[in-house]
Amino acid sequence: MARGVRRVVSEMLLTIKDVENWKKLGNFHATVKPFKLIRYLCRMASRRGQVVLDPFAGSGTLAVVCEHLNRRWICIELDEANCQ
C-alpha cells in the first residue's frame, strides 16, 4: 500500500463508522469519494501544472481538488444526472 494511504483510509473509516458522524449530503452520486482522499491521491499521482483526467467525473470532486492543488483537469461524465 502506498505510503500514507493506510492512514487516510483509516481516518475515513473511523469517521464514518459512527452514526453521529453521518450527515445528509446534497450529492447523491453513487460513488462519492471524500475530498481528503481524492486530494491525497491527486498529490501522489500528479505535480503542479499537470493535467489530471477523470473519465467518470460525477459531481466533479476531482476538478475541485485540482483547482486547490494548481493542477489542470479534464472531466468527462456520461450521465447528465450525475453532474451536480
Side-chain angles (χ1 to χ4, degrees):
M1 192 174 280
R3 190 180 75 192
V5 171
R6 183 175 302 224
R7 181 183 55 78
V8 171
V9 171
S10 293
E11 286 176 15
M12 182 181 66
L13 291 174
L14 285 172
T15 300
I16 65 173
K17 77 176 179 70
D18 297 317
V19 168
E20 61 269 8
N21 288 325
W22 285 80
K23 59 186 174 192
K24 281 195 165 198
L25 298 174
N27 187 339
F28 296 103
H29 188 265
T31 58
V32 175
K33 279 110 186 144
F35 183 88
K36 286 172 97 175
L37 177 61
I38 299 300
R39 183 181 65 199
Y40 173 79
L41 295 172
C42 191
R43 289 174 75 187
M44 292 294 291
S46 66
R47 294 188 182 109
R48 286 184 172 196
Q50 287 186 320
V51 177
V52 180
L53 172 65
D54 185 356
F56 310 102
S59 59
T61 302
L62 184 98
V64 173
V65 167
C66 285
E67 291 291 325
H68 283 268
L69 296 177
N70 297 314
R71 271 91 167 148
R72 295 179 298 151
W73 50 271
I74 297 171
C75 291
I76 302 167
E77 178 56 54
L78 180 63
D79 187 355
E80 188 174 340
N82 287 330
C83 299
Q84 297 179 18

